[in-house]
Amino acid sequence: MDLPVVDLAPFLQAAAGDAAPAEAEEALRALCATVSASLRDTGALLVKDPRCTAADNDRFLDVVERYFARSDDSKRLQERPHLHYQVGVTPEGVEVPRSLVDKEMQDRIKSMPEEFQPATPKGPDPKWRYMWRVGPRPSNTRFKELNAEPVIPDGLPEWKETMDSWGAKMISAIEVVAEMAAIGFGLSKDAFTSLMKEGPHLLAPTGSNLMRHGSEGTVFAGFHYDLNFLTIHGRSRFPGLNIWLSNGKKMEVKVPVGCLLIQSGKQLEWLTGGECLAGMHEVVVTKRTLEAIELAKEQNRSLWRISSTLFSHIASDATLKPLGHFAEAPNAHSYPPICAGEYVEQELSAINLKGKVAL
């Protein structure tokens, strides 16, 4: 099965005020229904946004590859553990996959048919990650650590402009998808985007050293869900992402050139009363990864696997609760109102990015 590819251009044109005939409006509604159905049924969606080009993605990957190629000691200068690793670099061996610490998730894995079970991590993820805040933050917030100032590495003069530019484009794409999903779910167009205003959005590329960890079966990111609202990825130069559909089947994701992958996160699950579950996924070295490694060696390219990832969030001081008709969903009672920032801190604690708090 392939994920649907949704071209955002018709929706963008309509949003720009180009009056659409009735049949075009009907086509737009059908497009919005495709977005919401794909997020609900697969936890994922491929989109094409004319504002986010393959060249933009390549420029971003080039800069981030250069950063991760630095020595470990040099990279650790950008480490900020006292800010829950929500800005700057997170070294490999810090982030713990949820499947290692969550008994409920472990039971779920055991109940899966063997061919759909995720790879078993041997410990913390052997990937680095860089967190770069995108967009404005609130002047007043109870969650200062989640809204900290960005950390800029020395010696890469193009870093800030590249990160800001690609981050802004990816957020723009997420906002359009959020509007389309809201319409598809029968909510007001701004039901989600109004809650995203001044959220702690993070451009969060991972860096995985395929020279050190390039053997088949290596787990870079163990089976997990994303704690945020919607996650968006540009195309990586090395495949390896597996996702699980709502029917429990495992699927290797192939992102076409020029497309972006969207995944539903736990905050979207909360806002839909469990109707749209957070997508489970993992990143593993596969045969296709090995083929890409051989090609990169032949072409003398970097052997760091960079993910072009952005986490969009609901604002820290906003309340997460099922919206509109989702308050009547069968499992809505499992999603009581909680401040988004509190929820994020609890999740960060579980995966070892914050001092432990009661879950």
Side-chain angles (χ1 to χ4, degrees):
M1 173 188 167
D2 289 327
L3 293 172
V5 178
V6 174
D7 189 348
L8 304 186
F11 191 85
L12 288 167
Q13 285 159 6
D18 299 349
E23 62 270 21
E25 275 190 30
E26 203 170 307
L28 282 177
R29 277 197 296 275
L31 211 53
C32 293
T34 299
V35 169
S36 57
S38 189
L39 290 174
R40 185 186 61 238
D41 299 339
T42 70
L45 173 74
L46 290 165
V47 300
K48 208 168 176 53
D49 187 327
R51 302 165 302 176
C52 302
T53 66
D56 291 329
N57 188 46
D58 282 340
R59 182 167 161 252
F60 169 80
L61 293 176
D62 289 345
V63 173
V64 179
E65 279 177 357
R66 286 204 295 280
Y67 170 76
F68 280 118
R70 293 176 167 187
S71 71
D72 289 0
D73 286 345
S74 169
K75 291 195 287 278
R76 282 181 183 274
L77 296 173
Q78 285 80 50
E79 190 179 2
R80 300 293 184 271
H82 62 290
L83 296 175
H84 313 338
Y85 294 101
Q86 291 305 284
V87 287
V89 80
T90 306
E92 64 178 55
V94 170
E95 199 169 333
V96 177
R98 187 86 199 213
S99 54
L100 277 188
V101 295
D102 188 323
K103 175 78 169 61
E104 198 178 311
M105 198 177 282
Q106 289 165 359
D107 291 341
R108 179 177 166 187
I109 290 169
K110 284 178 195 157
S111 71
M112 292 177 176
E114 203 167 316
E115 70 268 30
F116 299 144
Q117 286 185 5
T120 306
K122 295 182 172 58
D125 290 338
K127 69 175 189 296
W128 292 72
R129 188 189 290 282
Y130 205 102
M131 295 287 210
W132 180 262
R133 55 175 269 182
V134 174
R137 293 300 194 258
S139 49
N140 282 311
T141 177
R142 289 164 49 204
F143 303 95
K144 296 280 193 289
E145 299 94 337
L146 301 181
N147 294 278
E149 288 300 314
V151 178
I152 304 175
D154 292 333
L156 284 171
E158 68 275 48
W159 177 271
K160 184 178 187 304
E161 195 276 327
T162 303
M163 300 294 271
D164 286 346
S165 169
W166 186 233
K169 288 182 178 192
M170 298 246 275
I171 279 287
S172 296
I174 284 268
E175 286 172 343
V176 172
V177 170
E179 288 184 349
M180 294 176 77
I183 294 167
F185 283 132
L187 302 171
S188 64
K189 180 179 168 182
D190 68 347
F192 298 133
T193 51
S194 60
L195 295 172
M196 290 171 64
K197 194 173 184 309
E198 296 186 338
H201 313 306
L202 290 165
L203 183 56
T206 60
S208 304
N209 187 347
L210 295 168
M211 288 173 290
R212 189 185 297 167
H213 304 294
S215 54
E216 188 174 355
T218 299
V219 183
F220 283 127
F223 185 68
H224 69 287
Y225 57 75
D226 290 343
L227 62 86
N228 53 298
F229 172 58
L230 287 172
T231 301
I232 183 167
H233 308 267
R235 189 171 188 266
S236 174
R237 289 171 175 161
F238 297 91
L241 176 67
N242 294 319
I243 67 170
W244 276 259
L245 309 180
S246 58
N247 62 11
K249 290 188 175 175
K250 176 180 175 179
M251 172 180 154
E252 187 177 5
V253 176
K254 297 171 183 170
V255 181
V257 174
C259 287
L260 301 162
L261 172 70
I262 310 272
Q263 289 180 285
S264 53
K266 202 70 175 178
Q267 292 176 349
L268 178 61
E269 180 176 324
W270 216 277
L271 297 170
T272 60
E275 292 286 299
C276 190
L277 297 175
M280 303 303 301
H281 49 284
E282 68 178 0
V283 180
V284 181
V285 176
T286 64
K287 284 186 169 58
R288 286 181 65 233
T289 319
L290 297 179
E291 289 165 8
I293 290 170
E294 288 312 306
L295 185 61
K297 284 178 179 172
E298 286 171 23
Q299 297 176 348
N300 203 24
R301 288 191 285 105
S302 171
L303 290 177
W304 277 87
R305 181 192 187 278
I306 308 301
S307 73
S308 173
T309 301
L310 183 140
F311 299 124
S312 73
H313 278 261
I314 299 304
S316 302
D317 297 274
T319 300
L320 289 176
K321 63 179 181 183
L323 299 177
H325 63 86
F326 288 118
E328 309 302 318
N331 293 319
H333 62 276
S334 301
Y335 301 91
I338 184 172
C339 189
E342 282 174 32
Y343 171 74
V344 169
E345 289 192 336
Q346 288 179 7
E347 289 279 338
L348 292 178
S349 173
I351 58 174
N352 206 36
L353 296 182
K354 180 183 186 287
K356 295 295 178 207
V357 298
L359 271 174

